[in-house]
Amino acid sequence: MITVKTELDSIRDFDAWSGAKDTLENIIAAGKVDELDSLAEEYFPDGCTDTELNDWLWFDSDSIYEYLGLDENGEIPTEDDEDEDEDEDEEDEDEDDEDYDELHAQEWMAYNNEYDYGDDASKK
């Protein structure tokens, strides 16, 4: 097997294919190429082949986007996106509260079912 490595000044010059092409185009459009270059140098300190770079861009796009501060579509988040995230967080908190309340009620009922008030309760 022959391994071919190509030296690039920037990932901007990389001729990506398949899903990596979309990832690279999104990052270029978001103006995050310099940050991607730095990330790639950290990720591949000894360099990589074209296929390794392409696979990283394609299959690790979610992690790359997150590191670059982009949303899951490779775009810079807008205030509307942040508002939606806050709304989802509030919904999650409401569900957590409901789960806690239900669990607390179940524990309380189990405790009370174990305690026999019997005739002693009527004597008080």
Side-chain angles (χ1 to χ4, degrees), residues 34-75:
D34 291 338
E35 292 175 55
L36 180 62
D37 286 340
S38 297
L39 180 61
E41 288 173 6
E42 287 178 33
Y43 194 79
F44 300 108
D46 299 323
C48 62
T49 65
D50 289 356
T51 301
E52 290 170 330
L53 179 58
N54 196 79
D55 287 352
W56 179 62
L57 290 169
W58 187 0
F59 299 114
D60 290 338
S61 61
D62 289 343
S63 298
I64 294 168
Y65 288 159
E66 183 177 343
Y67 180 86
L68 299 175
L70 303 174
D71 66 15
E72 66 275 358
N73 299 316
E75 299 171 347

Side-chain angles (χ1 to χ4, degrees), residues 6-108:
T6 307
E7 195 166 313
L8 301 169
D9 290 327
S10 171
I11 291 181
R12 176 189 309 276
D13 303 326
F14 180 64
D15 190 20
W17 63 91
S18 298
K21 187 174 184 175
D22 295 333
T23 302
L24 187 55
E25 288 173 356
N26 290 337
I27 292 169
I28 291 170
K32 299 281 188 170
V33 176
D34 291 338
E35 292 175 55
L36 180 62
D37 286 340
S38 297
L39 180 61
E41 288 173 6
E42 287 178 33
Y43 194 79
F44 300 108
D46 299 323
C48 62
T49 65
D50 289 356
T51 301
E52 290 170 330
L53 179 58
N54 196 79
D55 287 352
W56 179 62
L57 290 169
W58 187 0
F59 299 114
D60 290 338
S61 61
D62 289 343
S63 298
I64 294 168
Y65 288 159
E66 183 177 343
Y67 180 86
L68 299 175
L70 303 174
D71 66 15
E72 66 275 358
N73 299 316
E75 299 171 347
I76 297 173
T78 62
E79 287 184 27
D80 292 339
D81 292 341
E82 292 171 9
D83 290 343
E84 288 175 14
D85 288 344
E86 288 175 15
D87 291 343
E88 289 174 11
D89 290 344
E90 288 174 10
E91 289 173 10
D92 289 345
E93 288 174 11
D94 291 343
E95 289 174 12
D96 290 345
D97 289 345
E98 290 171 8
D99 291 343
Y100 174 80
D101 291 344
E102 183 177 333
L103 178 62
H104 185 71
Q106 289 172 354
E107 289 174 347
W108 182 84

